[in-house]
Amino acid sequence: MSATPQKNRASRRVLAAAAGLATVGALVAAMPAGAHDRGHGHGNGHGHGHKPRTVDVQLLSFNDLHGNLEPPAGSAGNVSKTHPDGTVESIPAGGVEYLATSLRTARKGNPYSVTAAGGDMVGASPLLSGLFHDEPTIEALNKLDLDVTAVGNHEFDEGATELARLQNGGCHPVEGCYEKGKKFKGADFPYLAANVTKEKTGKPLLKPYTVWKKNGVKIGFIGVTLEGTPDIVTANGVKGLKFHDEVETINKYARELDRKGVKSIVALIHEGGAPASTSYNYDCDSPGAGDGISGPIVDIAKGITPKVDALVTGHTHQAYVCTVPDPSGKPRMVTSASSFGKLYTDTTLTYDRRTNDIVRTSVKSANHVVTRDQPKAPDMTRLIDRWNKLAAPIANKPQGWISADINGRGSTAPEKPLGNVIADAQLEGLAPADKGGAEVAFMNPGGIRADLVHKASGSEGDGVVTYGEAFTVQPFTNMMNVVDLTGAQLVTALQQQVSGPNEASPKILQVSKGLTYTLDLTKSGADRVVADTIKLNGEAIDPARTYRVAMNEFLAGGGDGFPALGQGTNKLVGASDLDLFNAYLAAHSSATAPLAPPATDRITVIQ
């Protein structure tokens, strides 16, 4: 999943208009101290007397929550299940009220239970969390009894100082405290960032690891984010930071833990893979161990020292429970639980008290759906209601009308209906000469975070798009740029969708109306974009001509593996992507003439 950084200009701007929500508070941004021991210890330990040699430790894990406290709307809120007869069922899942119930139910009867996460708990969040700089999500995770998480790339969207505030608490430096008389307490679980150091000192930004302890049982957790984080976060988000190799970092700290007598180790890695099936119950060890999964996590898993007993992963928003051989050739569990709190993974780690290590051959793991037919956790319902009241004046404002679902995140096609709407909105808003004179617009697919869903999310009525729903689709509030690019650079940029860093996992840009070309997936690398089919308004792209191109500042900085887009000159900074999206909805829809899902006929795909 590609990602786009969030600047939170939206929340700054909208909260300025609703200043009554905020009282001024102070920032506490001291970096966390060195690693310390931790253990919630859900349930009770064994009674007195002889302790058995082994004890089963329950590891519950999830990843890529992205502040989705309420159930994700539309197709983005479903998981696929394949039945024995081959039929595929789509199951509505997710929502922190149900996740809390699922985890609390799973812990029952498991005296040794630890809950860990694989990063991207916050960032690119729906309005309910994003408007408040994700304080509601940290509060929910505290209530969920999360023991530890790795940082993901999105934890850096607002920079290291804001990440430190999420860890340590304190009110926002600009917007202050959101609730009168209440100061944000911060996360009561450690954020781990073993492979992120400060450029000036070379020291880790946050704790590299933590040790969970209960009744003599000790399990070390090492947390890393993907080394490529600077390529998918704006420069401001990673300023002054260095990101290191995942394998080298984990191996280094595994040796350190081992020397300290901690022999049971779990790595939390914000990097992932792509299983051959999107069904959560797919067996990715068929025909052999790890045969059904590809992507960066496979090489990472094969390089991590056998001292590490299990890998909890994320970033790709996929569901898998695989065993990938470690460097000694022994199978080792590698798991990921989709995204948005739709699944959780339940792993049994059998701990040998004599060796203080995990019996790897008996590690068992499975993903479970966070179904919406179970009781809601009342404390989470109260939390959501409380923050919804604060967000309501902004969230419920209608922006436009749609006649049916317009799929973005929920579309698996290269060209997404909502991608076309967003690109057209950007082109229309920036085409006037005084706004930049844009002739074409590009939108990165990872920046489209949801679908536009026809069914009402609240009391607004079916077909109404509220500010909150629009924000959920475009939560980064990136400023738009219009730049000069040559025709040759344009062609190169389109080829970079399927070559270089994007070859293994293509990132197909969403394009504005008038741009057409053929994508031939039977070919390899850059050849998959058929150069002589690229046309703008029916005319072949002239390599020597200069074109005015609109895109968000993240793409204009060469983000997501598009260095050609970073070569633009004569830059004009326009309105934010969210402002242009809302303006387009207002201009092109009404209660009597709602916006229909557009045709997807700009990119001709040959499979």
Side-chain angles (χ1 to χ4, degrees):
M1 289 287 152
S2 72
T4 320
Q6 179 168 358
K7 285 308 208 304
N8 266 76
R9 286 196 184 84
S11 52
R12 284 211 291 276
R13 189 179 61 254
V14 292
L15 281 173
L21 299 185
T23 55
V24 177
L27 168 69
V28 181
M31 290 293 172
H36 66 269
D37 300 327
R38 166 183 186 77
H40 278 136
H42 309 291
N44 302 305
H46 289 288
H48 300 292
H50 178 68
K51 283 183 178 171
R53 176 166 169 175
T54 62
V55 57
D56 280 349
V57 177
Q58 177 189 55
L59 170 62
L60 300 176
S61 57
F62 57 97
N63 51 278
D64 296 275
L65 181 65
H66 289 289
N68 278 265
L69 301 181
E70 296 176 294
S75 54
N78 294 336
V79 294
S80 298
K81 177 180 183 176
T82 301
H83 291 282
D85 65 0
T87 57
V88 178
E89 179 188 3
S90 194
I91 306 168
V96 79
E97 294 159 299
Y98 303 112
L99 180 61
T101 300
S102 289
L103 294 177
R104 289 164 186 170
T105 304
R107 287 175 191 142
K108 282 177 186 160
N110 287 286
Y112 293 81
S113 184
V114 56
T115 304
D120 276 7
M121 294 295 99
V122 300
S125 305
L127 188 84
L128 176 61
S129 188
L131 189 60
F132 305 107
H133 294 276
D134 283 309
E135 289 180 22
T137 297
I138 298 295
E139 190 184 327
L141 292 170
N142 288 344
K143 287 181 189 290
L144 278 180
D145 282 336
L146 182 63
D147 287 297
V148 58
T149 184
V151 293
N153 51 288
H154 281 278
E155 265 82 16
F156 293 93
D157 283 348
E158 293 185 59
T161 306
E162 175 62 6
L163 174 55
R165 187 182 78 87
L166 290 180
Q167 177 74 80
N168 297 313
C171 296
H172 193 270
V174 178
E175 288 157 22
C177 300
Y178 295 114
E179 296 177 286
K180 204 171 178 178
K182 269 193 185 177
K183 186 178 148 191
F184 174 57
K185 291 190 174 77
D188 67 10
F189 50 89
Y191 259 115
L192 305 181
N195 65 331
V196 187
T197 56
K198 298 179 205 173
E199 269 176 2
K200 279 185 182 162
T201 63
K203 289 189 172 145
L205 174 70
L206 297 167
K207 291 167 37 170
Y209 60 79
T210 191
V211 180
W212 180 88
K213 291 179 178 178
K214 184 166 184 195
N215 296 344
V217 172
K218 289 189 292 193
I219 299 179
F221 288 88
I222 303 167
V224 297
T225 186
L226 69 156
E227 187 183 5
T229 292
D231 304 328
I232 52 175
V233 174
T234 53
N236 280 345
V238 294
K239 204 172 176 183
L241 302 176
K242 217 166 168 194
F243 292 77
H244 304 271
D245 183 83
E246 304 94 340
V247 174
E248 284 171 22
T249 304
I250 291 168
N251 290 350
K252 171 184 155 184
Y253 286 111
R255 285 193 298 273
E256 190 173 309
L257 282 166
D258 189 55
R259 282 198 302 272
K260 290 183 170 182
V262 179
K263 309 290 184 187
S264 299
I265 303 171
V266 175
L268 308 174
I269 308 171
H270 192 70
E271 178 61 290
S277 162
T278 55
S279 287
Y280 86 90
N281 61 335
Y282 164 68
D283 177 9
C284 68
D285 283 342
S286 173
D291 284 347
I293 187 168
S294 58
I297 200 61
V298 178
D299 286 339
I300 290 171
K302 286 177 178 172
I304 289 173
T305 170
K307 291 183 197 301
V308 175
D309 299 296
L311 314 184
V312 171
T313 73
H315 187 56
T316 56
H317 292 202
Q318 302 299 306
Y320 47 85
V321 173
C322 305
T323 54
V324 176
D326 70 13
S328 71
K330 290 189 180 130
R332 176 170 52 195
M333 197 61 78
V334 179
T335 67
S336 174
S338 183
S339 64
F340 301 169
K342 293 181 287 190
L343 298 177
Y344 71 92
T345 313
D346 189 336
T347 302
T348 303
L349 302 172
T350 301
Y351 184 92
D352 186 331
R353 290 182 184 276
R354 204 169 294 169
T355 62
N356 296 327
D357 206 350
I358 301 298
V359 184
R360 282 258 298 273
T361 50
S362 63
V363 174
K364 295 188 291 291
S365 193
N367 274 327
H368 300 279
V369 181
V370 176
T371 59
R372 298 185 201 164
D373 56 5
Q374 58 186 322
K376 295 179 180 182
D379 57 336
M380 294 298 178
T381 305
R382 287 192 296 273
L383 180 148
I384 288 168
D385 289 349
R386 205 178 87 235
W387 288 102
N388 262 333
K389 277 195 188 80
L390 285 179
I394 296 152
N396 297 340
K397 278 186 186 156
Q399 303 297 312
W401 289 262
I402 56 174
S403 64
D405 288 0
I406 305 180
N407 281 354
R409 172 65 61 169
S411 165
T412 54
E415 182 184 348
K416 304 169 193 310
L418 191 49
N420 287 358
V421 173
I422 291 169
D424 288 353
Q426 295 176 353
L427 177 63
E428 184 170 296
L430 300 171
D434 61 335
K435 304 284 191 216
E439 298 168 82
V440 63
F442 292 134
M443 174 64 193
N444 54 314
I448 306 167
R449 305 304 299 186
D451 302 332
L452 274 187
V453 178
H454 185 262
K455 187 173 165 41
S457 59
S459 57
E460 75 274 12
D462 289 351
V464 178
V465 179
T466 64
Y467 185 91
E469 289 165 342
F471 184 100
T472 298
V473 168
Q474 293 251 267
F476 299 109
T477 329
N478 276 318
M479 303 314 286
M480 291 300 300
N481 289 182
V482 186
V483 299
D484 282 352
L485 286 171
T486 65
Q489 288 169 324
L490 265 186
V491 171
T492 301
L494 290 172
Q495 289 171 332
Q496 285 168 350
Q497 300 176 110
V498 290
S499 62
N502 293 330
E503 178 156 7
S505 182
K507 289 194 178 84
I508 305 303
L509 295 166
Q510 306 300 287
V511 299
S512 56
K513 64 183 175 201
L515 188 80
T516 55
Y517 69 93
T518 296
L519 184 66
D520 187 347
L521 297 176
T522 65
K523 294 182 175 166
S524 62
D527 290 343
R528 287 186 271 193
V529 171
V530 184
D532 60 10
T533 65
I534 304 170
K535 292 180 180 173
L536 183 59
N537 302 320
E539 288 185 14
I541 294 286
D542 178 351
R545 195 195 132 192
T546 296
Y547 295 85
R548 292 292 283 163
V549 184
M551 62 194 111
N552 61 45
E553 60 194 327
F554 170 63
L555 277 179
D560 260 357
F562 290 99
L565 296 180
Q567 293 166 357
T569 56
N570 195 15
K571 177 168 81 175
L572 185 140
V573 178
S576 77
D577 50 10
L578 181 63
D579 282 348
L580 293 180
F581 184 47
N582 283 330
Y584 186 86
L585 289 170
H588 291 272
S589 70
S590 66
T592 52
L595 182 70
T600 48
D601 53 6
R602 300 169 191 183
I603 305 171
T604 302
V605 182
I606 300 171
Q607 299 274 16

